[in-house]
Amino acid sequence: MVRITFIQPDGSRREIEAEPGDSVMQAALAHNVEGITAECNGSAACATCHAYFQEDRLGGLDAMAEHENDMLDFAACERRSGSRLSCQVKVTDALDGMTVTLPEMQ
Amino acid sequence: MANDPIIIIGAGQCGQKATETLRQQGYEGGLVLIGDEPHAPYQRPPLSKAFLKGEMSLERLMLKGPDYFDQFNIDARLSRWVESIDPAGRRVLLHGGESVAYSKLLLATGTRSRKIPVLPGLDLEGVHYMRTIADVQAIMQALKPETRIAIIGGGYIGLEVASALRSFKHDVTVIEGMERVLQRVVCPQLSDYFHRLHSSRGVAIHVNAVLEAIEGAGRVERIRLRDGQEIDTDMVLMAVGAEPVCELAEQAGLTIENGVSTDETCRTSDPNIYAAGDCSSFFSKRYQRHIRLESVQNAIDQGKHAAGAMLGSAEVYDPVPWFWSDQYEIKLQIAGLSQGYDRTEVEGDETEDAFAVRYFAGDRLLCVDAVNMPRAHMMARRELANLD
């Protein structure tokens, strides 16, 4: 199991134990973490699973495809250097202990 | 009566979103969710894609974690269905005889696969539909490596299934009654593009082809077309569209108009009954007519909206509809509705598999179909939202 801590816009934190192989989006939904809509169910078609990943650990994440990069420019909240579509990031051991901050809006 | 629960009929993505929104907006009263499938609310789009291909587990189809109903105090009645609604007495009668009172009622009954009423052979073993988990499980169980499949209907579902099954090298034939695939939703150029895409991946597409009969001794052996052509096959998938589930609303005396008719706040002709999602035909200010959308976007947004309306919001529901379809490695994203267009403009390069078609009525942009061009899609959603 891989521990990921989600931080809501109000600062509240919740740690979940995510299953390797799931996407971070799927892990969040499976634990009823609020703040991720994921309208297109992981198809990278909607940008409603936007999240800010811990900036000093981005290197351990799946590389970003051009499609995701384009979609991120249109997320409802500002894009920052840690911005990813959480449906495109697989849960791996490299994410253990990472924090993921959720935006105000999807 | 104000203390009676809110009842939601239909435990799909729309009904689920309504329950979540009601709780998020502070509604603490009773909340009953009734669904006729045995499953908790799940995502339907992967059924014709990742789930069919076995790339996605049943568990991952679920919209919420297993403790969702407990956590949000939702009285979920699964594998249950409603026999009738009594709008005057504000009660629903469940199959089995239980009668439950409501303060507000939301119909989120969705659609069912359209059935061709009179077609020889429809009851043969090997005839399938694509709507529910059970439908897909039946297909997956019946599929052997050598199974040949005939898909009746060249719409999104039919073509997505063709794409999924070609990845396992099944022999796939698509039978389309109109002169081109996706005829009701896209322009000729895009129909041609998808026709060529599927042909190049080995799908046999027959257009202007009307199914006359499914034949076989007890199980599917071949289909026969109106022009006399016979095609041998082991499985038939009926993918000829969906129809709104309106019988309860109709029997309750609500106005029906290609779906359960609502105003721009999701309210039906009965002030205590709302409708949302695939089954609802709502008045759209944007299009100045009643429209019915079969999409995740609408299931989610209208589910949210109806929840707010049941709690007293008068906000108008007027979304920019959007859709997507994944076929092979091609991602089509659609913003808006193209009905009524009189001309199109193309940007990008079709030969590079990255282009967008813009549909206009006069100068007014109606819709943008973007093929592998996420930027064009997202720009279009903004542009359409900003049109008055």
Side-chain angles (χ1 to χ4, degrees), chain B residues 54-74:
Chain B
E55 292 169 354
M56 191 175 193
S57 68
L58 185 67
E59 196 186 356
R60 285 293 163 263
L61 275 185
M62 299 299 140
L63 285 163
K64 290 287 167 185
D67 51 354
Y68 174 72
F69 293 138
D70 287 341
Q71 201 179 326
F72 290 87
N73 193 19
I74 295 159

Side-chain angles (χ1 to χ4, degrees), chain A residues 15-37:
Chain A
E15 184 183 281
I16 65 159
E17 296 210 333
E19 200 157 326
D22 278 352
S23 69
V24 172
M25 175 276 280
Q26 287 170 326
L29 294 191
H31 290 84
N32 300 326
V33 172
E34 288 187 34
I36 288 183
T37 311

Side-chain angles (χ1 to χ4, degrees), chain B residues 1-7 27 29-32 100-105:
Chain B
M1 291 177 102
N3 290 329
D4 289 327
I6 291 177
I7 298 182
Y27 172 72
L31 185 49
V32 180
V100 190
Y102 61 82
S103 55
K104 302 280 182 198
L105 176 67

